[in-house]
């Protein structure tokens, strides 16, 4: 009985997290990029109007997590970050201190995601993998970094864009990736987008 209950709880928690959609990531402060807040929605399947002419209310966003510079008092060291979303926590850091082209996300539950530039020191395209799934994240335009996109024929689309052109403080997320792409992978891609596009000061 206990074993069955444990399996049910694990399955329930996994389904609940996967049902959440990351919708926005915003800098916590208007003049600083060292702390970020992550917002999600959970679709309300009960909120269906009986009148087909009335659109259902969009699900409400809620603060679900954060990402912040590990050494907040050492502003010239941007190489390590802590994150939390729901029950998942972990660390994002450069593989080598002097190389911003390679990063690694390690969750406390054991997930590992590696991120590296696809072409040398060009920061506009990245290869992101957890050794099961590999995705390519790239800036939609090389001259402007307001839009980032994953478009994978097998796993779907992940689109990140600024709410206001030229303002990297607030990003919207359209997540149409399938269930094979973990929250850790999505957080890695959000991290890359915010890190590459914001001032380091």
């Amino acid at each position: 009985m206990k074993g069955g209950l444990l399996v049910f709880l694990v399955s329930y928690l996994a389904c609940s997290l996967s049902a959440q959609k990351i919708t926005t990531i915003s800098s916590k402060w208007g003049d600083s990029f060292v702390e970020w807040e992550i917002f999600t929605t959970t679709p309300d399947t009960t909120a269906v109007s009986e009148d087909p002419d009335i659109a259902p209310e969009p699900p409400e966003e809620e603060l679900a997590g954060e990402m912040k510079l590990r050494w907040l008092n050492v502003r010239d060291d941007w190489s390590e970050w802590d994150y939390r979303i729901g029950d998942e926590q972990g660390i994002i850091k450069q593989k080598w201190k002097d190389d911003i082209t390679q990063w690694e996300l390690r969750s406390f539950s054991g997930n590992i995601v590696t991120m590296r530039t696809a072409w040398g020191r060009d920061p506009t395209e990245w290869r992101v993998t957890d050794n099961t799934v590999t995705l390519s994240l790239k800036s939609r335009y090389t001259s402007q970094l307001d839009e980032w996109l994953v478009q994978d024929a097998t796993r779907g689309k992940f689109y990140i864009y600024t709410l206001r052109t030229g303002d990297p403080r607030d990003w919207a997320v359209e997540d149409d990736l399938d269930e094979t792409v973990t929250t850790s992978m999505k957080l890695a891609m959000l991290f890359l987008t915010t890190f590459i596009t914001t001032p380091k000061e």
Side-chain angles (χ1 to χ4, degrees), residues 34 69 71-79 97 200-201:
V34 297
L69 193 65
W71 315 113
L72 284 173
N73 295 324
V74 187
R75 294 301 176 87
D76 59 345
D77 186 351
W78 292 74
S79 64
K97 286 275 188 182
K200 307 299 179 287
E201 56 188 43

Side-chain angles (χ1 to χ4, degrees), residues 86-146:
D87 292 329
E88 181 172 333
Q89 298 181 62
I91 299 169
I92 304 169
K93 65 179 182 177
Q94 289 177 12
K95 291 197 76 171
W96 292 278
K97 286 275 188 182
D98 59 348
D99 184 1
I100 64 166
T101 67
Q102 296 188 58
W103 292 82
E104 188 173 77
L105 177 150
R106 286 182 176 264
S107 74
F108 295 160
S109 59
N111 295 331
I112 300 174
V113 178
T114 57
M115 302 156 264
R116 64 181 61 197
T117 53
W119 312 104
R121 299 191 70 82
D122 178 1
T124 62
E125 184 172 351
W126 293 79
R127 180 178 175 271
V128 181
T129 183
D130 62 3
N131 290 327
T132 299
V133 173
T134 300
L135 296 172
S136 175
L137 172 72
K138 61 177 73 175
S139 175
R140 192 168 184 182
Y141 307 105
T142 55
S143 59
Q144 183 178 336
L145 304 180
D146 281 0

Side-chain angles (χ1 to χ4, degrees), residues 27-59:
S27 60
K28 188 171 183 177
W29 315 106
D31 59 352
S32 172
F33 299 97
V34 297
E35 294 184 76
W36 294 83
E37 295 180 323
I38 303 167
F39 296 85
T40 64
T41 60
T42 303
D44 183 358
T45 56
T46 64
V48 177
S49 172
E50 294 180 4
D51 186 339
D53 295 328
I54 299 176
E57 290 290 323

